[in-house]
Amino acid sequence: MSHADEPSDSLRLALVQAASGLDPAANRSALDRLAPEGQDLVVFPEAFARDFGEVGSDVSDDAEDLGGPFATEVARVAAARGGAVVAGMFERSDDPARPYNTLVMRGSAEASYRKVHLYDSFGHRESDRLTAGPVAPTVVDVAGWRVGLMTCYDLRFPELTRRLVDEGAELVVVPAAWVAGPRKVHHWRTLVTARAIENTVYVAAVGQPAPRYTGHSMVVDPLGDVVAEADAGDAAEPVVVTAEIDRAVLDAARRTNPSLANRRL
């Protein structure tokens, strides 16, 4: 498997639809147990280092630095697999009571992304317990592909995906803990597909499973076709969704629908 910077025709991708718990040590050990071999990029859900807990819970006691135990284990597992691994954690901020909701990527590529749009919606107030990250698109080279990062509720803000694509993203990765409820699976599937179509970009979205969250981890191609998808799943039974994304499909989609070139705003 090559991780050179030059463009690669394909990228092998795995989405690990698994539930995190409230024990950070158990969640860290799950990284090695669940990360599959033979993938260029393995993606775990949002808040995998420690679940959110009950609505409104204080998560600050389990926040870590980017060089702490969780990110260190992500790096170790990524090195052992020979690719890149992404997973969500709570990162200490300047406000000890309100950490960042952060994605860490380690291995063949390294990046971190602090969630911009906090989940103050559907009766939740994530901003009471967390600090929003800076509005700065995070795009990194993985196995010859430009990969953009965003988290869960960010999916509802199309301008962020467009910023990532303007920075060259060909694949947008969306780790999530998409809370279950009426219409929530419909919203999830519709928004993932819309972000792919309107930007002619691959979108890979991985969620924690039912019953608390919606699952339905999925990969959608630049014309909106579903490449792979899980069902709602179950917290007791992790599922790994694999797909191989193809540069020829990306290029053909952008020739068929040159909306990025045709835009006037």
Side-chain angles (χ1 to χ4, degrees):
M1 153 169 62
S2 172
H3 300 293
D5 289 337
E6 61 269 14
S8 174
D9 289 340
S10 63
L11 181 143
R12 290 172 291 183
L13 172 68
L15 307 180
V16 182
Q17 181 173 290
S20 62
L22 301 180
D23 179 353
N27 297 330
R28 286 196 303 273
S29 69
L31 291 166
D32 193 33
R33 185 174 70 253
L34 297 176
E37 301 278 356
Q39 306 297 318
D40 298 301
L41 178 61
V42 176
V43 188
F44 287 84
E46 175 187 22
F48 199 75
R50 193 267 197 201
D51 185 47
F52 286 94
E54 295 297 321
V55 175
S57 293
D58 182 355
V59 299
S60 62
D61 285 347
D62 290 316
E64 302 180 14
D65 295 323
L66 290 177
F70 185 76
T72 299
E73 180 65 2
V74 171
R76 189 195 69 78
V77 171
R81 299 301 188 274
V85 175
V86 178
M89 61 175 280
F90 298 117
E91 177 199 354
R92 291 183 181 131
S93 74
D94 291 338
D95 182 346
R98 296 169 61 242
Y100 296 113
N101 184 340
T102 298
L103 301 179
V104 290
M105 176 186 286
R106 297 292 185 265
S108 63
E110 294 201 4
S112 60
Y113 165 69
R114 294 165 175 166
K115 186 178 182 182
V116 170
H117 299 99
L118 299 181
Y119 187 48
D120 291 356
S121 187
F122 291 90
H124 292 254
R125 286 281 307 172
E126 194 173 25
S127 64
D128 288 345
R129 293 298 188 181
L130 297 172
T131 297
V135 181
T138 301
V139 181
V140 64
D141 292 317
V142 179
W145 285 69
R146 295 283 286 163
V147 178
L149 301 179
M150 58 188 206
T151 305
C152 200
Y153 191 51
D154 286 333
L155 190 63
R156 293 185 181 272
F157 300 86
E159 56 271 24
L160 180 56
T161 314
R162 181 55 56 90
R163 288 278 299 273
L164 294 171
V165 171
D166 284 346
E167 292 293 323
E170 300 161 311
L171 164 67
V172 174
V173 170
V174 191
W178 197 266
V179 178
R183 298 177 292 277
K184 296 298 287 296
V185 171
H186 174 59
H187 286 194
W188 167 259
R189 298 187 79 254
T190 300
L191 291 164
V192 171
T193 304
R195 299 295 86 86
I197 293 170
E198 69 197 2
N199 293 289
T200 52
V201 68
Y202 278 100
V203 177
V206 56
Q208 294 207 36
R212 181 172 187 185
Y213 303 105
T214 60
H216 282 273
S217 300
M218 61 193 304
V219 179
V220 178
D221 81 7
L223 289 178
D225 291 331
V226 176
V227 178
E229 182 178 3
D231 60 15
D234 186 279
E237 297 183 9
V239 172
V240 177
V241 176
T242 59
E244 186 165 346
I245 65 174
D246 188 339
R247 187 171 302 283
V249 172
L250 176 69
D251 292 343
R254 290 182 171 181
R255 288 193 301 270
T256 299
N257 175 25
S259 58
L260 294 176
N262 291 341
R263 56 197 272 223
R264 300 182 66 190
L265 297 176

